[in-house]
Structure formats: structure tokens, C-alpha cells
Amino acid sequence: MPGGRLTQRDRERIAAGLAAGLSYAEIARRVDRSTSTISREVGRNGGPGGYRPQEAHHATVQRARRGAPAPPREVERPVGAVESEIIELAVGSGMPRMTARVHVDLLLSEDGRRTAAELTRRLKVSPASVSVAVNSLVQHGYVRRERDPQRRRDVYVVDDEAWYHSIAISARQTLASARSARAAAETLGPDSPVAQRLARAGTFLERVVEDMQQSADRWRSLLT
């Protein structure tokens, strides 16, 4: 991977990649730098939500003139790198990238609360994109919606109980699928190979979901 300092043009391309919701790895490929270079650059200059190419370039020039050392890698990990890693894990598990970005921004906020306007401003995306993302998060139990009567707007909240509720919602959805499979098996009759396969799948899913729900109930107190 080519070395050398990042140029003003490189930083503008980094900002464009962040605005487009690209991963650090994809931005690094486009800028022809290493992923760690991108994560350090963004992390020390405001993070994904606050990165400004002109300000970042000016700050780097000033540090170079003063001879200030770069932030230590092992002592403190940039918040931007943490955000990127969690987002990539969520995307890898099947969550849409915009939904993952909204979820992670809420997770890493000081009080776990954001309005739609705040999310739109911080992530530099359209209100429609935020709306789709938060509706999905609410539907799956990762986030709850509250009403702020003073400002007359919704506030989206992620707290410790969200993990329990997301598991409970997932369990109910999987249980519904399991029961549907078993009902279809009964309709087809016991001699049908398809019915036998559906019955086995339905029984397996029911048992797994029951264990998961019992485990969530048993360990729920750890969240409070």
C-alpha cells in the first residue's frame, strides 16, 4: 500500500466516502491507503459524524509544524474505528447499512437518545433514510420510540432492556414460523417426505426458541 501523507484531495474523498456510508475498508481501497490509516485519520478528526476534510488537513499541518506525535495506537483506540467495526459486524449479520449506522450512533451516544433531526444531522443523510432505519429498529425491538411533549417530536431511545426485547421479538417471530411449518406438515400428512421434513424443522425451531426465551428470562436481571 502506498505511503506518504494524506493530501487535501485524499481527505475530501474520505469525507465523500463517509457521507455515502462506505466502510473504512472501501474508503481505503478508493484512496489507495490502508484501512488503519483511514480509521486513525477519521478517529482523530471528529469521527464519522464530524469529519471535515479542510479542518482535518489544517490540523494535520499544524501538528506537523509543532512536531506533535500521533495519538498512540495501543493506549487509546479512536471512536471512529469502534463505530466502523460494530457497523461492519451488524451489516455482516444481515442488517442494512443505514439501519446499522443509526443503531450504532444511538448505542454510542451518551444517554442513548436521539431525535430524528439529530440523527439526520449527525449522519448527514436524508430524513427519509433515518425514518426507514428507526422504524426497522423499533419493529425489531432494538430501539423504542418516546414522545417529547415539550418539543413535540419523537425521541428514539436505546437502553439495556432493548437487548431483552429484541430477543423476545425474534423468538416470537421464529416460533410463528415453527408452528406454521408444523401446521403445514399436518396438512400434508405423515406419509409425505415434505411433511416429515417440515415437522422436524418446526420441532427443532420450537425447542431452540423455548431455550432462548428461557435463557433471556433467566439472565434479564443482568441488564438492570
Side-chain angles (χ1 to χ4, degrees), residues 136-154:
S136 176
L137 291 170
V138 170
Q139 179 182 356
H140 290 90
Y142 295 113
V143 170
R144 75 173 186 272
R145 182 186 284 109
E146 294 182 354
R147 188 68 177 173
D148 184 343
Q150 294 182 340
R151 293 192 289 177
R152 296 182 180 180
R153 64 182 65 184
D154 288 335

Side-chain angles (χ1 to χ4, degrees), residues 83 102 104-123 134 143-144 146 151 153-158:
E83 289 178 342
V102 171
V104 171
D105 191 72
L106 278 165
L107 282 174
L108 299 185
S109 63
E110 189 68 23
D111 58 359
R113 305 169 65 88
R114 298 263 196 244
T115 64
E118 288 170 339
L119 290 166
T120 298
R121 183 176 65 253
R122 287 177 55 80
L123 300 179
V134 293
V143 170
R144 75 173 186 272
E146 294 182 354
R151 293 192 289 177
R153 64 182 65 184
D154 288 335
V155 179
Y156 299 98
V157 182
V158 59

Side-chain angles (χ1 to χ4, degrees), residues 103-223:
H103 192 207
V104 171
D105 191 72
L106 278 165
L107 282 174
L108 299 185
S109 63
E110 189 68 23
D111 58 359
R113 305 169 65 88
R114 298 263 196 244
T115 64
E118 288 170 339
L119 290 166
T120 298
R121 183 176 65 253
R122 287 177 55 80
L123 300 179
K124 296 180 175 57
V125 296
S126 69
S129 297
V130 169
S131 178
V132 171
V134 293
N135 284 339
S136 176
L137 291 170
V138 170
Q139 179 182 356
H140 290 90
Y142 295 113
V143 170
R144 75 173 186 272
R145 182 186 284 109
E146 294 182 354
R147 188 68 177 173
D148 184 343
Q150 294 182 340
R151 293 192 289 177
R152 296 182 180 180
R153 64 182 65 184
D154 288 335
V155 179
Y156 299 98
V157 182
V158 59
D159 58 18
D160 292 332
E161 281 285 293
W163 301 109
Y164 174 84
H165 293 306
S166 65
I167 289 176
I169 290 173
S170 176
R172 287 197 298 269
Q173 293 172 341
T174 304
L175 187 59
S177 298
R179 289 173 175 169
S180 178
R182 294 189 64 178
E186 292 179 1
T187 300
L188 293 172
D191 296 330
S192 167
V194 175
Q196 294 170 10
R197 185 163 61 249
L198 288 174
R200 288 193 297 268
T203 301
F204 169 79
L205 289 174
E206 277 189 342
R207 299 295 185 272
V208 171
V209 167
E210 289 172 358
D211 286 348
M212 183 172 66
Q213 187 63 62
Q214 290 171 7
S215 180
D217 291 337
R218 184 166 63 252
W219 300 112
R220 185 177 185 179
S221 60
L222 293 176
L223 298 174

